[in-house]
Amino acid sequence: MSHIVTVQDAVTAFADFMEPTNAELDAIEREMPVILADVELLDAHIVTLDRTPTELDVRRIRRARRRALAARVALLNRTAGANQSGGAA
């Protein structure tokens, strides 16, 4: 006979000490333009799941893909600029 017991981790999964740190929240804030652009791209794809994409749908997907790519490039440029050393090697 096996006994059913509660798992302590499941009970305390959302305890106060498990909140995101300020550094994690800052990282999310920096990545928010990429997240929103990806959501927009996903929305554009979802619209076309149950039908053949029209020319307008194709343009919307193309624009959303470009915005997502531009947001990723901007994030990479910001992080690369922050990681560069100030002096000559």
Side-chain angles (χ1 to χ4, degrees):
M1 172 189 254
S2 62
H3 298 284
I4 299 173
V5 294
T6 60
V7 178
Q8 185 66 25
D9 289 338
V11 174
T12 60
F14 299 106
D16 290 338
F17 63 87
M18 297 189 74
E19 292 292 321
T21 64
N22 287 335
E24 292 170 333
L25 291 173
D26 290 340
I28 292 169
E29 188 67 31
R30 281 190 306 272
E31 294 176 8
M32 190 54 67
V34 174
I35 294 167
L36 294 175
D38 285 344
V39 168
E40 183 181 342
L41 178 59
L42 186 59
D43 285 344
H45 280 291
I46 288 172
V47 168
T48 62
L49 284 178
D50 61 345
R51 62 185 168 98
T52 304
T54 63
E55 181 60 34
L56 185 62
D57 293 329
V58 171
R59 281 191 246 158
R60 182 178 180 212
I61 292 170
R62 188 171 50 237
R63 278 194 310 269
R65 189 176 294 132
R66 287 180 183 161
R67 286 185 189 128
L69 181 60
R72 288 176 191 274
V73 168
L75 178 65
L76 287 173
N77 286 339
R78 281 194 306 267
T79 56
N83 291 338
Q84 287 181 349
S85 60

